[in-house]
Structure formats: structure tokens, C-alpha cells
Amino acid sequence: MEEALAGHPSQWARLPAAVSDHLLLRHAWSVPDLPGAVTYLHDIGQATAAVSAPGRGSALLLPVISQDTVWELAGAGVLLPRKSTSFGPKPTAGLAMRVLGLS
């Protein structure tokens, strides 16, 4: 794991997204870092359905990173791994947002 996370902050060793991305995908499975090589889903049903047919790959189910961890690492200037702060649900495209409380 030290080799896979070399050059990254030491705090990454406790982040499931960093361990899965750098240790499993890159080093163990040699998945290329290209668009479309990995699909990220927020729903366990969709993830298991996507890999249920033979030869369709694997699904990694990762625990949610806590808000405290996000604040702690961001406060220390640590850039988090991709998708580790990809929270859902997302607003629908084109949804109008209104800022309230402005005088």
C-alpha cells in the first residue's frame, strides 16, 4: 500500500476511495486511468446489476466518508481522491436555484 500511495498525503491510507483507486484499480488490476474505464454509481442495486452478468467486471462498495473527515483533511490542505466527496442526490440539470436571505 505504501508503494501505491507514494507521493500522496499519509491520510490517504485511511480513505477507502484512495485505497481502491490507487491500490486495487491501478496496481492490482491495472485498470487504465481513462474516461469510461470505471463507472461510478451511487446505488447498490445499480452497481450489483451492472456486474451481475458473467464477464462484466466487479463492483466495489465503499463506505461513505464522514463529514468530519472531509473537514479535517480539507482543513489540513489535503486534496481528497476523486469521487470520495461525490455526494448524491444531485440537483436536476437546469434546476433554478434561488439564494434566500440576501438584503
Side-chain angles (χ1 to χ4, degrees):
M1 184 154 62
E2 289 177 19
E3 179 184 333
L5 297 177
H8 294 286
S10 61
Q11 295 95 327
W12 274 36
R14 61 185 171 116
L15 297 174
V19 172
S20 66
D21 187 49
H22 293 277
L23 182 64
L24 292 177
L25 294 175
R26 248 181 234 156
H27 287 278
W29 296 337
S30 300
V31 175
D33 190 12
L34 299 171
V38 176
T39 302
Y40 297 93
L41 301 169
H42 294 275
D43 181 82
I44 190 171
Q46 290 176 344
T48 54
V51 298
S52 63
R56 295 286 309 266
S58 301
L60 296 175
L61 305 176
L62 303 176
V64 175
I65 185 173
S66 74
Q67 183 177 358
D68 290 339
T69 300
V70 172
W71 283 111
E72 173 193 340
L73 296 178
V78 174
L79 182 64
L80 297 169
R82 67 175 145 206
K83 300 298 182 181
S84 59
T85 57
S86 180
F87 302 112
K90 304 275 189 241
T92 303
L95 180 67
M97 304 293 273
R98 180 186 302 184
V99 178
L100 301 176
L102 296 177
S103 299

